[in-house]
């Protein structure tokens, strides 16, 4: 099956009260772990590539690895650019075979965000590609996204209709309290997503797919395992999974997960290396690491997203 856009996936997910997992990919083992889990569970899938992933692994390698995954797994897969920061980057991914792009101009004032997003939408739609945009800003740090907590802001529901009408975007990422990375909330606090904002957005955009970024749950077992095997991750907690399930039953059709895969993979490799200090063949530790990714994705699909059997 060729790559697909997320259009049909989102339509079914909205109606069915579940969400599609959008997992970040950076290398072959990550792609294999994710797609094997989704393939076995017959789940539709979004594989997303950040600007940082693209410069780490190279556009062509990632596209070809995803094409290989399509041959090996009979499920619909959408290949998406995560946090595109310019028209040029979006255009390059559209021209290079992606079926979906995100243009993230959420740091700009509304009017400028609309103009920049519209430009990408026009080019993308002319090429059969769908566009995710963002309103409101999430806190957090990755290679290419760095927003301080004091500069983050919740989405204003009163802006969403105008934004979607004027840009023509196909899905909208909103800020309701999640953030990027492994350090989302202070330990000891009680994370609470702003479902009131999500409800307001849903009322103003009935049937329109909403996206949740920064949705890793940061399992404490993995943080502990990393720290017990030579790591040094200070305390951090993520988004409670029951709140993600609730979001998935509402208008949220796409849930972005990256940090949890990083934690699963790194915990596994650290444990392995500690237990086998004489091993030096990368296949020996990457094989269980790939299985750890697969187990994490299977858990998310079945227990959080609810998209198993929906391919
Ligand atoms: O939200 C961004 C993703 O977690 C990707 O992070 O820019 O470090 O590849 P990255
Ligand atoms: P996490 O850092 O919570 O996994 O979020 C990933 C993300 O939003 C990618 O766009
Ligand atoms: Zn994100």
């Amino acid at each position: 099956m060729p790559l697909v856009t997320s259009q049909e996936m989102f339509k079914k997910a909205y109606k069915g009260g579940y969400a599609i997992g959008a997992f970040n990919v950076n290398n072959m083992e990550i792609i294999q772990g994710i797609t094997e889990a989704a393939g076995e569970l017959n789940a539709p899938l979004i594989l997303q590539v950040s600007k940082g992933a693209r410069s780490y692994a190279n556009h062509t390698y990632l596209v070809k690895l995803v094409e290989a995954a399509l041959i090996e797994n009979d499920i619909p897969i959408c290949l998406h650019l995560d946090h595109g920061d310019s028209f040029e980057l979006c255009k390059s991914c559209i021209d290079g075979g992606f079926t979906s792009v995100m243009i993230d101009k959420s740091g700009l004032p509304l009017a400028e965000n609309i103009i920049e997003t519209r430009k990408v939408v026009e080019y993308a739609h002319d090429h059969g590609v769908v566009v995710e945009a963002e309103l409101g800003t999430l806190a957090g740090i990755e290679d290419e996204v760095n927003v301080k907590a004091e500069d983050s802001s919740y989405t204003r529901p009163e802006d969403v209709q105008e934004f979607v009408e004027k840009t023509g975007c196909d899905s909208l990422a909103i800020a309701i309290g999640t953030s990027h990375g492994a350090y989302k909330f202070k330990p000891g606090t009680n994370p609470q997503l702003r479902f009131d904002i999500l409800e307001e957005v849903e009322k103003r955009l009935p049937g329109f797919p909403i996206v949740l970024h920064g949705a890793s749950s940061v399992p404490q077992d993995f943080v502990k395992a990393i720290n017990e095997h030579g790591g040094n991750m200070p305390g951090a907690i993520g988004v409670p999974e029951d709140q993600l399930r609730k979001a998935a039953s509402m208008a949220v059709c796409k849930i972005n997960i990256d940090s949890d895969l990083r934690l699963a993979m790194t915990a596994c490799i650290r444990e392995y290396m500690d237990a086998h200090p004489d091993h030096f063949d990368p296949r020996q530790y990457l094989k269980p690491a790939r299985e750890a990714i697969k187990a994490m994705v299977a858990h998310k699909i079945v227990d959080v997203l609810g998209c198993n059997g929906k391919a």
Side-chain angles (χ1 to χ4, degrees):
M1 181 185 308
L3 282 171
V4 297
T5 73
S6 50
Q7 208 169 24
E8 275 307 301
M9 291 182 191
F10 287 167
K11 235 186 250 172
K12 287 193 203 163
Y14 198 103
K15 272 198 199 137
Y18 60 90
I20 312 294
F23 300 99
N24 287 72
V25 298
N26 295 277
N27 66 17
M28 181 183 79
E29 285 77 11
I30 295 174
I31 292 173
Q32 288 176 328
I34 298 168
T35 54
E36 276 176 27
E40 286 174 18
L41 290 164
N42 200 31
L45 183 64
I46 298 173
L47 295 176
Q48 55 188 14
V49 172
S50 70
K51 184 176 174 180
R54 205 165 167 263
S55 48
Y56 168 76
N58 171 303
H59 178 98
T60 310
Y61 278 92
L62 289 172
V63 169
K64 294 295 167 193
L65 286 167
V66 171
E67 283 172 8
L70 280 167
I71 293 169
E72 294 295 323
N73 299 280
D74 187 25
I75 47 166
I77 299 179
C78 167
L79 180 56
H80 173 75
L81 168 66
D82 191 26
H83 293 284
D85 61 355
S86 67
F87 174 81
E88 290 70 28
L89 174 57
C90 291
K91 179 179 182 302
S92 169
C93 288
I94 293 165
D95 295 346
F98 282 38
T99 49
S100 174
V101 293
M102 174 187 193
I103 177 72
D104 181 359
K105 292 288 180 182
S106 57
L108 294 178
L110 179 66
E112 288 166 55
N113 188 351
I114 289 174
I115 292 169
E116 299 288 325
T117 300
R118 177 77 215 161
K119 197 173 154 194
V120 172
V121 168
E122 279 169 9
Y123 188 80
H125 286 182
D126 279 352
H127 293 79
V129 169
V130 293
V131 178
E132 174 186 327
E134 180 165 327
L135 264 185
T137 34
L138 276 69
I141 301 174
E142 299 81 36
D143 281 359
E144 304 289 342
V145 190
N146 185 349
V147 181
K148 291 198 188 97
E150 58 268 29
D151 296 329
S152 64
S153 59
Y154 292 117
T155 303
R156 287 162 32 92
E158 50 274 41
D159 293 339
V160 299
Q161 256 171 321
E162 179 193 358
F163 184 82
V164 167
E165 272 165 31
K166 288 192 174 162
T167 61
C169 67
D170 303 279
S171 62
L172 182 67
I174 62 169
I176 58 168
T178 61
S179 64
H180 288 112
Y183 305 99
K184 298 187 193 299
F185 303 99
K186 290 216 163 55
T189 57
N190 206 1
Q192 185 54 56
L193 299 187
R194 290 286 305 271
F195 287 105
D196 57 320
I197 298 179
L198 179 56
E199 271 167 21
E200 276 304 315
V201 169
E202 197 171 337
K203 262 188 229 156
R204 289 169 156 91
L205 295 174
F208 193 80
I210 300 302
V211 178
L212 203 58
H213 283 244
S216 278
S217 304
V218 190
Q220 295 302 295
D221 285 0
F222 289 130
V223 175
K224 207 168 147 231
I226 288 171
N227 287 343
E228 280 172 2
H229 296 282
N232 183 18
M233 288 187 69
I237 48 174
V239 186
E241 288 188 336
D242 59 332
Q243 295 188 34
L244 295 171
R245 274 197 296 276
K246 181 173 172 181
S249 74
M250 298 169 68
V252 170
C253 294
K254 173 176 181 268
I255 292 189
N256 285 13
I257 296 165
D258 186 3
S259 297
D260 282 353
L261 304 191
R262 295 178 180 193
L263 288 166
M265 190 167 198
T266 301
C268 180
I269 292 172
R270 278 196 178 276
E271 271 172 339
Y272 186 92
M273 296 309 270
D274 245 7
H276 306 92
D278 55 328
H279 286 186
F280 57 90
D281 179 344
R283 291 172 298 188
Q284 289 173 314
Y285 55 85
L286 287 176
K287 194 172 172 189
R290 180 170 59 194
E291 285 303 313
I293 295 266
K294 184 174 171 182
M296 172 60 77
V297 171
H299 161 65
K300 296 289 179 184
I301 287 174
V302 173
D303 302 320
V304 178
L305 303 156
C307 60
N308 42 313
K310 310 290 188 187

